Amino acid sequence: MKDNKIPDIVIGRLPLYLRSLQRMAQEGRKVTSSQELGERLGISAAQIRKDLSQFGEFGKQGTGYQIDYLTKQLSQILHVDRVWDMAVVGAGDVGHAVANYQGFVDRGFQITMIFDKDPSKIGAQFGDFTIIDGSEMVETIRSSGVKVAMVAVPAETAQQVADELVEAGVEAILNYAPIRLNVPGNVRVQHIDPAIHLQRMTYYIE
Amino acid sequence: MKDNKIPDIVIGRLPLYLRSLQRMAQEGRKVTSSQELGERLGISAAQIRKDLSQFGEFGKQGTGYQIDYLTKQLSQILHVDRVWDMAVVGAGDVGHAVANYQGFVDRGFQITMIFDKDPSKIGAQFGDFTIIDGSEMVETIRSSGVKVAMVAVPAETAQQVADELVEAGVEAILNYAPIRLNVPGNVRVQHIDPAIHLQRMTYYIE
């Protein structure tokens, strides 16, 4: 199923399709079409059909897509037909918000550990978690095999944290700090950048 | 300059170009190319040239783009050559994180007001802000002319908040709650959805 030649920009759209399908399923729907998905997402139906066709034949001309089946297939392709353990680095506002976030359920992720280097925070309760000493982070993550981490520290320390996460074997970093992180080619970084989303909307305001 | 026929997916890439250009300027750079932008962003150089050509002629074949000039042009196109006042709704973890976020500087946005309906929070200091009673939100936003808002309340109340924001005249909503908001066609919503970014990365982890 996996083909490394599929452009990253196509891979980037698959989670959007999956989210729409899961919401439709919650609404009790059974079947959808590339037209309907396109209208929900602001992407052309042709683009959606082209993207999906790179991975197989998921629907029949004229009958649309079975939502259950396509959801399962996309989950497998994106490797979220399992649950990934995640580490959160930084027990401040952002770390707190992320730890309490209700949007990971049924989407393939769960937070299992939170780190901070502030002595006044280490050992404290943080929602359901006990904050772990950041100086133990590399060893703890490496021995647990965690591959996914969220960087929720200030910009000044984010690169150092990223370096440590790479050293610990993390391969996917979700970065909440407002800087660009440098990582080796085998590690992926995605940036939560609210200004990008805002700028995309102000274009339309007269 | 504005052309309503330009696809939303193209508009969505312009902020990425702008962010890369601003970072290059911070690095002291003067000139770049569609190739370099493409490598930074994982987008083909041809796509970038095609996107930019929809708005004008920004570079010469073989000499690349003047970073300063293209930055100014993109800022104008996206309407971030000014500073937009923003309202934050919800003075919890997410609201706190957003209010302290350092990533809006020089990108066209500033938070000017924070609302909450919790009586124990109203009137309290929240960073530089005094939390305003959520029941005064519609009137306060309308009279101040604020057009951009961030929804940082739990999923259960997010739709009601969105309805009030629309009533108040807001045209751009950045939604941190893990639900899909229904708004009229003249209002834009962008969703901060960390699972989307995570799923885009787990595809690449074996």
Side-chain angles (χ1 to χ4, degrees):
Chain A
M1 191 69 80
K2 175 96 169 272
D3 179 349
N4 280 319
K5 285 175 186 162
I6 292 170
D8 189 51
I9 202 164
V10 174
I11 303 305
R13 285 190 287 263
L14 300 186
L16 299 172
Y17 304 157
L18 180 56
R19 183 176 67 190
S20 285
L21 291 165
Q22 288 179 314
R23 282 175 177 165
M24 288 176 187
Q26 283 164 10
E27 294 162 13
R29 302 279 309 285
K30 301 293 181 196
V31 179
T32 186
S33 64
S34 54
Q35 285 76 13
E36 188 189 29
L37 277 169
E39 278 163 28
R40 286 205 178 204
L41 292 166
I43 298 173
S44 77
Q47 181 73 69
I48 292 171
R49 286 194 299 273
K50 189 177 163 202
D51 287 352
L52 294 178
S53 71
Q54 307 218 27
F55 299 94
E57 196 63 59
F58 297 124
K60 282 178 202 153
Q61 192 77 34
T63 64
Y65 299 111
Q66 296 290 326
I67 290 172
D68 260 15
Y69 178 73
L70 186 52
T71 299
K72 272 185 199 152
Q73 294 298 313
L74 285 179
S75 296
Q76 278 179 24
I77 292 167
L78 293 169
H79 301 155
V80 291
D81 52 346
R82 68 205 79 173
V83 178
W84 294 84
D85 290 344
M86 285 194 295
V88 174
V89 191
D93 295 329
V94 180
H96 220 124
V98 161
N100 289 328
Y101 184 66
Q102 301 301 310
F104 295 128
V105 178
D106 295 330
R107 299 181 70 190
F109 303 93
Q110 65 180 359
I111 293 167
T112 56
M113 48 184 79
I114 298 187
F115 298 93
D116 203 297
K117 285 190 173 167
D118 180 345
S120 72
K121 291 182 177 171
I122 295 165
Q125 278 305 114
F126 193 74
D128 294 337
F129 305 96
T130 304
I131 298 169
I132 307 172
D133 184 346
S135 68
E136 297 169 14
M137 183 173 80
V138 173
E139 190 44 41
T140 307
I141 289 180
R142 188 186 282 141
S143 64
S144 63
V146 167
K147 297 292 177 199
V148 183
M150 304 170 101
V151 173
V153 300
E156 302 78 59
T157 49
Q159 183 60 54
Q160 191 198 323
V161 164
D163 293 343
E164 291 178 15
L165 290 172
V166 169
E167 190 189 343
V170 164
E171 295 177 31
I173 296 174
L174 188 60
N175 174 33
Y176 281 82
I179 67 158
R180 176 188 163 99
L181 298 177
N182 293 308
V183 296
N186 64 316
V187 178
R188 299 263 153 184
V189 175
Q190 287 273 307
H191 187 174
I192 298 285
D193 183 350
I196 289 281
H197 296 273
L198 292 164
Q199 290 178 346
R200 184 175 182 160
M201 296 190 284
T202 49
Y203 170 82
Y204 296 95
I205 307 181
E206 300 300 332
Chain B
M1 192 67 83
K2 175 95 166 274
D3 178 349
N4 279 322
K5 286 175 187 162
I6 292 170
D8 189 51
I9 202 163
V10 174
I11 303 305
R13 284 191 287 263
L14 301 185
L16 299 173
Y17 304 157
L18 181 56
R19 183 176 67 188
S20 286
L21 291 165
Q22 288 179 313
R23 283 176 177 166
M24 288 177 187
Q26 283 164 8
E27 295 162 13
R29 301 278 310 284
K30 300 291 181 199
V31 179
T32 186
S33 64
S34 53
Q35 286 76 15
E36 187 189 29
L37 277 169
E39 280 164 27
R40 286 204 178 205
L41 293 166
I43 298 173
S44 77
Q47 181 73 67
I48 292 173
R49 286 194 300 272
K50 189 178 164 202
D51 286 350
L52 294 176
S53 71
Q54 305 217 31
F55 299 93
E57 195 64 58
F58 297 124
K60 282 180 201 151
Q61 191 78 35
T63 64
Y65 300 111
Q66 296 290 324
I67 290 172
D68 260 15
Y69 179 72
L70 186 52
T71 298
K72 271 185 199 151
Q73 294 298 313
L74 285 179
S75 296
Q76 277 179 24
I77 291 166
L78 292 169
H79 301 157
V80 291
D81 52 346
R82 70 204 76 171
V83 177
W84 294 85
D85 289 344
M86 285 193 295
V88 174
V89 191
D93 295 330
V94 179
H96 218 126
V98 160
N100 288 327
Y101 184 67
Q102 300 300 309
F104 295 128
V105 179
D106 295 332
R107 299 181 68 190
F109 303 93
Q110 64 180 2
I111 293 167
T112 55
M113 47 184 79
I114 299 188
F115 299 93
D116 203 295
K117 286 190 173 167
D118 179 346
S120 73
K121 290 181 177 172
I122 296 164
Q125 280 303 116
F126 193 75
D128 294 338
F129 305 96
T130 304
I131 297 170
I132 307 171
D133 185 345
S135 67
E136 298 169 15
M137 184 173 80
V138 172
E139 190 44 41
T140 308
I141 289 180
R142 189 186 281 141
S143 64
S144 63
V146 166
K147 296 292 175 199
V148 184
M150 303 168 102
V151 172
V153 299
E156 302 78 57
T157 50
Q159 183 60 55
Q160 189 198 323
V161 165
D163 293 344
E164 291 178 18
L165 290 172
V166 169
E167 188 189 343
V170 165
E171 295 177 30
I173 296 175
L174 188 58
N175 174 33
Y176 281 82
I179 67 158
R180 177 188 163 101
L181 298 177
N182 294 309
V183 297
N186 65 317
V187 177
R188 298 263 155 184
V189 175
Q190 287 271 306
H191 186 175
I192 298 284
D193 182 350
I196 289 282
H197 296 272
L198 291 165
Q199 290 178 344
R200 184 176 181 160
M201 296 191 284
T202 47
Y203 170 81
Y204 295 96
I205 308 181
E206 300 300 334

